[in-house]
mmCIF file of all heavy atoms in Angstrom:
data_model
loop_
_atom_site.group_PDB
_atom_site.id
_atom_site.type_symbol
_atom_site.label_atom_id
_atom_site.label_comp_id
_atom_site.label_asym_id
_atom_site.label_seq_id
_atom_site.Cartn_x
_atom_site.Cartn_y
_atom_site.Cartn_z
ATOM 1 N N HIS G 1 4.685 -12.392 -18.435
ATOM 2 C CA HIS G 1 5.908 -13.188 -18.482
ATOM 3 C C HIS G 1 7.022 -12.558 -17.627
ATOM 4 O O HIS G 1 7.817 -13.276 -17.021
ATOM 5 C CB HIS G 1 6.349 -13.381 -19.930
ATOM 6 C CG HIS G 1 5.445 -14.299 -20.701
ATOM 7 N ND1 HIS G 1 5.633 -15.656 -20.745
ATOM 8 C CD2 HIS G 1 4.322 -14.051 -21.429
ATOM 9 C CE1 HIS G 1 4.678 -16.212 -21.470
ATOM 10 N NE2 HIS G 1 3.871 -15.261 -21.898
ATOM 11 N N ARG G 2 7.047 -11.223 -17.586
ATOM 12 C CA ARG G 2 8.027 -10.561 -16.716
ATOM 13 C C ARG G 2 7.756 -10.874 -15.251
ATOM 14 O O ARG G 2 8.684 -11.149 -14.479
ATOM 15 C CB ARG G 2 7.991 -9.047 -16.951
ATOM 16 C CG ARG G 2 8.877 -8.262 -15.981
ATOM 17 C CD ARG G 2 8.829 -6.767 -16.260
ATOM 18 N NE ARG G 2 7.481 -6.237 -16.316
ATOM 19 C CZ ARG G 2 6.721 -5.980 -15.252
ATOM 20 N NH1 ARG G 2 7.174 -6.205 -14.027
ATOM 21 N NH2 ARG G 2 5.502 -5.481 -15.407
ATOM 22 N N LEU G 3 6.485 -10.868 -14.859
ATOM 23 C CA LEU G 3 6.121 -11.163 -13.477
ATOM 24 C C LEU G 3 6.514 -12.582 -13.081
ATOM 25 O O LEU G 3 6.889 -12.840 -11.929
ATOM 26 C CB LEU G 3 4.614 -10.963 -13.272
ATOM 27 C CG LEU G 3 4.136 -9.516 -13.166
ATOM 28 C CD1 LEU G 3 2.620 -9.451 -13.283
ATOM 29 C CD2 LEU G 3 4.605 -8.892 -11.857
ATOM 30 N N LEU G 4 6.444 -13.508 -14.036
ATOM 31 C CA LEU G 4 6.878 -14.874 -13.743
ATOM 32 C C LEU G 4 8.351 -14.885 -13.342
ATOM 33 O O LEU G 4 8.734 -15.541 -12.364
ATOM 34 C CB LEU G 4 6.654 -15.767 -14.961
ATOM 35 C CG LEU G 4 5.199 -16.093 -15.333
ATOM 36 C CD1 LEU G 4 5.159 -16.897 -16.630
ATOM 37 C CD2 LEU G 4 4.499 -16.862 -14.218
ATOM 38 N N SER G 5 9.187 -14.148 -14.094
ATOM 39 C CA SER G 5 10.614 -14.085 -13.761
ATOM 40 C C SER G 5 10.836 -13.409 -12.414
ATOM 41 O O SER G 5 11.650 -13.863 -11.600
ATOM 42 C CB SER G 5 11.378 -13.320 -14.851
ATOM 43 O OG SER G 5 11.371 -14.016 -16.070
ATOM 44 N N GLU G 6 10.101 -12.336 -12.179
ATOM 45 C CA GLU G 6 10.265 -11.607 -10.922
ATOM 46 C C GLU G 6 9.794 -12.436 -9.730
ATOM 47 O O GLU G 6 10.313 -12.286 -8.618
ATOM 48 C CB GLU G 6 9.502 -10.290 -10.982
ATOM 49 C CG GLU G 6 10.115 -9.288 -11.962
ATOM 50 C CD GLU G 6 9.323 -8.002 -12.071
ATOM 51 O OE1 GLU G 6 8.226 -7.931 -11.462
ATOM 52 O OE2 GLU G 6 9.798 -7.076 -12.757
ATOM 53 N N SER G 7 8.841 -13.321 -9.955
ATOM 54 C CA SER G 7 8.302 -14.124 -8.845
ATOM 55 C C SER G 7 9.333 -15.096 -8.289
ATOM 56 O O SER G 7 9.187 -15.585 -7.166
ATOM 57 C CB SER G 7 7.056 -14.895 -9.301
ATOM 58 O OG SER G 7 7.402 -15.998 -10.132
ATOM 59 N N VAL G 8 10.359 -15.391 -9.086
ATOM 60 C CA VAL G 8 11.426 -16.285 -8.618
ATOM 61 C C VAL G 8 12.762 -15.551 -8.570
ATOM 62 O O VAL G 8 13.829 -16.172 -8.593
ATOM 63 C CB VAL G 8 11.514 -17.551 -9.494
ATOM 64 C CG1 VAL G 8 10.299 -18.416 -9.278
ATOM 65 C CG2 VAL G 8 11.651 -17.204 -10.972
ATOM 66 N N ALA G 9 12.695 -14.222 -8.506
ATOM 67 C CA ALA G 9 13.890 -13.373 -8.357
ATOM 68 C C ALA G 9 14.919 -13.646 -9.452
ATOM 69 O O ALA G 9 16.112 -13.812 -9.178
ATOM 70 C CB ALA G 9 14.508 -13.557 -6.974
ATOM 71 N N LEU G 10 14.430 -13.674 -10.711
ATOM 72 C CA LEU G 10 15.324 -13.867 -11.855
ATOM 73 C C LEU G 10 15.160 -12.714 -12.859
ATOM 74 O O LEU G 10 14.833 -12.929 -14.026
ATOM 75 C CB LEU G 10 15.029 -15.204 -12.548
ATOM 76 C CG LEU G 10 15.329 -16.465 -11.742
ATOM 77 C CD1 LEU G 10 14.841 -17.706 -12.478
ATOM 78 C CD2 LEU G 10 16.830 -16.578 -11.456
ATOM 79 N N PRO G 11 15.411 -11.472 -12.423
ATOM 80 C CA PRO G 11 15.219 -10.332 -13.330
ATOM 81 C C PRO G 11 16.161 -10.367 -14.515
ATOM 82 O O PRO G 11 15.816 -9.914 -15.610
ATOM 83 C CB PRO G 11 15.470 -9.115 -12.437
ATOM 84 C CG PRO G 11 16.348 -9.627 -11.328
ATOM 85 C CD PRO G 11 15.886 -11.034 -11.092
ATOM 86 N N ARG G 12 17.372 -10.898 -14.342
ATOM 87 C CA ARG G 12 18.303 -10.945 -15.468
ATOM 88 C C ARG G 12 17.861 -11.955 -16.516
ATOM 89 O O ARG G 12 18.117 -11.772 -17.716
ATOM 90 C CB ARG G 12 19.717 -11.245 -14.978
ATOM 91 C CG ARG G 12 20.399 -10.025 -14.375
ATOM 92 C CD ARG G 12 21.840 -10.290 -13.997
ATOM 93 N NE ARG G 12 21.926 -11.214 -12.873
ATOM 94 C CZ ARG G 12 23.059 -11.541 -12.264
ATOM 95 N NH1 ARG G 12 24.207 -11.043 -12.683
ATOM 96 N NH2 ARG G 12 23.073 -12.376 -11.239
ATOM 97 N N ALA G 13 17.179 -13.008 -16.064
ATOM 98 C CA ALA G 13 16.627 -13.973 -17.031
ATOM 99 C C ALA G 13 15.594 -13.276 -17.911
ATOM 100 O O ALA G 13 15.564 -13.487 -19.127
ATOM 101 C CB ALA G 13 15.999 -15.155 -16.302
ATOM 102 N N TRP G 14 14.767 -12.427 -17.294
ATOM 103 C CA TRP G 14 13.780 -11.702 -18.092
ATOM 104 C C TRP G 14 14.453 -10.738 -19.052
ATOM 105 O O TRP G 14 14.056 -10.624 -20.214
ATOM 106 C CB TRP G 14 12.792 -10.953 -17.202
ATOM 107 C CG TRP G 14 11.944 -10.013 -18.016
ATOM 108 C CD1 TRP G 14 11.964 -8.655 -18.006
ATOM 109 C CD2 TRP G 14 10.991 -10.393 -19.016
ATOM 110 N NE1 TRP G 14 11.084 -8.153 -18.932
ATOM 111 C CE2 TRP G 14 10.472 -9.205 -19.562
ATOM 112 C CE3 TRP G 14 10.534 -11.618 -19.486
ATOM 113 C CZ2 TRP G 14 9.502 -9.205 -20.562
ATOM 114 C CZ3 TRP G 14 9.571 -11.632 -20.492
ATOM 115 C CH2 TRP G 14 9.071 -10.429 -21.023
ATOM 116 N N ARG G 15 15.505 -10.046 -18.588
ATOM 117 C CA ARG G 15 16.198 -9.114 -19.467
ATOM 118 C C ARG G 15 16.820 -9.852 -20.653
ATOM 119 O O ARG G 15 16.865 -9.335 -21.772
ATOM 120 C CB ARG G 15 17.258 -8.324 -18.686
ATOM 121 C CG ARG G 15 16.666 -7.310 -17.717
ATOM 122 C CD ARG G 15 17.687 -6.259 -17.297
ATOM 123 N NE ARG G 15 18.765 -6.819 -16.504
ATOM 124 C CZ ARG G 15 18.719 -6.958 -15.176
ATOM 125 N NH1 ARG G 15 17.637 -6.603 -14.509
ATOM 126 N NH2 ARG G 15 19.760 -7.443 -14.519
ATOM 127 N N MET G 16 17.297 -11.063 -20.417
ATOM 128 C CA MET G 16 17.854 -11.856 -21.512
ATOM 129 C C MET G 16 16.761 -12.232 -22.513
ATOM 130 O O MET G 16 16.953 -12.155 -23.731
ATOM 131 C CB MET G 16 18.523 -13.120 -20.964
ATOM 132 C CG MET G 16 19.236 -13.946 -22.021
ATOM 133 S SD MET G 16 20.080 -15.385 -21.326
ATOM 134 C CE MET G 16 21.340 -14.549 -20.342
ATOM 135 N N ILE G 17 15.603 -12.638 -22.007
ATOM 136 C CA ILE G 17 14.477 -12.957 -22.892
ATOM 137 C C ILE G 17 14.088 -11.727 -23.694
ATOM 138 O O ILE G 17 13.927 -11.784 -24.917
ATOM 139 C CB ILE G 17 13.273 -13.468 -22.073
ATOM 140 C CG1 ILE G 17 13.594 -14.817 -21.442
ATOM 141 C CG2 ILE G 17 12.031 -13.588 -22.961
ATOM 142 C CD1 ILE G 17 12.576 -15.276 -20.414
ATOM 143 N N LYS G 18 13.958 -10.604 -23.023
ATOM 144 C CA LYS G 18 13.512 -9.379 -23.689
ATOM 145 C C LYS G 18 14.520 -8.918 -24.739
ATOM 146 O O LYS G 18 14.135 -8.378 -25.780
ATOM 147 C CB LYS G 18 13.287 -8.276 -22.655
ATOM 148 C CG LYS G 18 12.634 -7.026 -23.238
ATOM 149 C CD LYS G 18 12.224 -6.080 -22.148
ATOM 150 C CE LYS G 18 11.682 -4.764 -22.727
ATOM 151 N NZ LYS G 18 10.520 -4.983 -23.599
ATOM 152 N N SER G 19 15.811 -9.168 -24.496
ATOM 153 C CA SER G 19 16.831 -8.709 -25.441
ATOM 154 C C SER G 19 16.744 -9.400 -26.792
ATOM 155 O O SER G 19 17.253 -8.881 -27.787
ATOM 156 C CB SER G 19 18.236 -8.910 -24.837
ATOM 157 O OG SER G 19 18.585 -10.286 -24.817
ATOM 158 N N VAL G 20 16.112 -10.587 -26.830
ATOM 159 C CA VAL G 20 15.996 -11.309 -28.109
ATOM 160 C C VAL G 20 14.569 -11.296 -28.654
ATOM 161 O O VAL G 20 14.284 -11.922 -29.681
ATOM 162 C CB VAL G 20 16.475 -12.777 -27.969
ATOM 163 C CG1 VAL G 20 17.931 -12.819 -27.546
ATOM 164 C CG2 VAL G 20 15.600 -13.571 -27.005
ATOM 165 N N MET G 21 13.682 -10.586 -27.959
ATOM 166 C CA MET G 21 12.266 -10.668 -28.310
ATOM 167 C C MET G 21 11.842 -9.716 -29.426
ATOM 168 O O MET G 21 10.710 -9.790 -29.912
ATOM 169 C CB MET G 21 11.405 -10.396 -27.073
ATOM 170 C CG MET G 21 11.321 -11.571 -26.113
ATOM 171 S SD MET G 21 10.362 -12.949 -26.779
ATOM 172 C CE MET G 21 8.712 -12.256 -26.661
ATOM 173 N N GLY G 22 12.739 -8.802 -29.842
ATOM 174 C CA GLY G 22 12.340 -7.795 -30.825
ATOM 175 C C GLY G 22 11.779 -8.391 -32.098
ATOM 176 O O GLY G 22 10.700 -7.999 -32.574
ATOM 177 N N GLN G 23 12.496 -9.354 -32.681
ATOM 178 C CA GLN G 23 12.014 -9.967 -33.914
ATOM 179 C C GLN G 23 10.711 -10.727 -33.679
ATOM 180 O O GLN G 23 9.778 -10.665 -34.485
ATOM 181 C CB GLN G 23 13.082 -10.908 -34.490
ATOM 182 C CG GLN G 23 14.384 -10.233 -34.877
ATOM 183 C CD GLN G 23 14.274 -9.434 -36.184
ATOM 184 O OE1 GLN G 23 13.200 -9.012 -36.595
ATOM 185 N NE2 GLN G 23 15.401 -9.221 -36.834
ATOM 186 N N LEU G 24 10.640 -11.456 -32.545
ATOM 187 C CA LEU G 24 9.413 -12.192 -32.235
ATOM 188 C C LEU G 24 8.232 -11.256 -32.033
ATOM 189 O O LEU G 24 7.118 -11.539 -32.481
ATOM 190 C CB LEU G 24 9.616 -13.018 -30.961
ATOM 191 C CG LEU G 24 10.060 -14.474 -31.089
ATOM 192 C CD1 LEU G 24 10.250 -15.073 -29.704
ATOM 193 C CD2 LEU G 24 9.053 -15.292 -31.878
ATOM 194 N N ASP G 25 8.459 -10.149 -31.334
ATOM 195 C CA ASP G 25 7.357 -9.248 -31.007
ATOM 196 C C ASP G 25 6.718 -8.642 -32.251
ATOM 197 O O ASP G 25 5.508 -8.408 -32.286
ATOM 198 C CB ASP G 25 7.834 -8.132 -30.070
ATOM 199 C CG ASP G 25 7.987 -8.608 -28.638
ATOM 200 O OD1 ASP G 25 7.464 -9.690 -28.321
ATOM 201 O OD2 ASP G 25 8.625 -7.910 -27.839
ATOM 202 N N ARG G 26 7.527 -8.364 -33.272
ATOM 203 C CA ARG G 26 6.939 -7.822 -34.499
ATOM 204 C C ARG G 26 5.965 -8.814 -35.123
ATOM 205 O O ARG G 26 4.932 -8.429 -35.670
ATOM 206 C CB ARG G 26 8.030 -7.445 -35.501
ATOM 207 C CG ARG G 26 8.786 -6.197 -35.111
ATOM 208 C CD ARG G 26 9.524 -5.610 -36.282
ATOM 209 N NE ARG G 26 10.735 -6.359 -36.601
ATOM 210 C CZ ARG G 26 11.515 -6.086 -37.640
ATOM 211 N NH1 ARG G 26 11.185 -5.106 -38.470
ATOM 212 N NH2 ARG G 26 12.619 -6.776 -37.849
ATOM 213 N N VAL G 27 6.290 -10.097 -35.009
ATOM 214 C CA VAL G 27 5.399 -11.119 -35.555
ATOM 215 C C VAL G 27 4.185 -11.296 -34.644
ATOM 216 O O VAL G 27 3.045 -11.380 -35.114
ATOM 217 C CB VAL G 27 6.147 -12.458 -35.715
ATOM 218 C CG1 VAL G 27 5.248 -13.482 -36.394
ATOM 219 C CG2 VAL G 27 7.422 -12.274 -36.526
ATOM 220 N N ARG G 28 4.437 -11.332 -33.334
ATOM 221 C CA ARG G 28 3.347 -11.543 -32.390
ATOM 222 C C ARG G 28 2.306 -10.432 -32.489
ATOM 223 O O ARG G 28 1.102 -10.681 -32.331
ATOM 224 C CB ARG G 28 3.899 -11.614 -30.958
ATOM 225 C CG ARG G 28 4.669 -12.905 -30.680
ATOM 226 C CD ARG G 28 5.399 -12.863 -29.343
ATOM 227 N NE ARG G 28 4.511 -12.600 -28.238
ATOM 228 C CZ ARG G 28 4.646 -11.579 -27.403
ATOM 229 N NH1 ARG G 28 5.638 -10.717 -27.553
ATOM 230 N NH2 ARG G 28 3.804 -11.411 -26.416
ATOM 231 N N TYR G 29 2.741 -9.218 -32.744
ATOM 232 C CA TYR G 29 1.782 -8.116 -32.823
ATOM 233 C C TYR G 29 0.850 -8.276 -34.025
ATOM 234 O O TYR G 29 -0.311 -7.865 -33.973
ATOM 235 C CB TYR G 29 2.504 -6.771 -32.888
ATOM 236 C CG TYR G 29 1.558 -5.605 -32.678
ATOM 237 C CD1 TYR G 29 1.019 -5.368 -31.417
ATOM 238 C CD2 TYR G 29 1.190 -4.778 -33.730
ATOM 239 C CE1 TYR G 29 0.136 -4.321 -31.216
ATOM 240 C CE2 TYR G 29 0.309 -3.733 -33.529
ATOM 241 C CZ TYR G 29 -0.217 -3.504 -32.267
ATOM 242 O OH TYR G 29 -1.100 -2.484 -32.079
#
């Protein structure tokens, strides 16, 4: 998913996604 953001030069979009992913990641794991 990070590579998708980088492929369109949107690194800050990925950082925004990652900043809210903590709660989701605990469930996904």
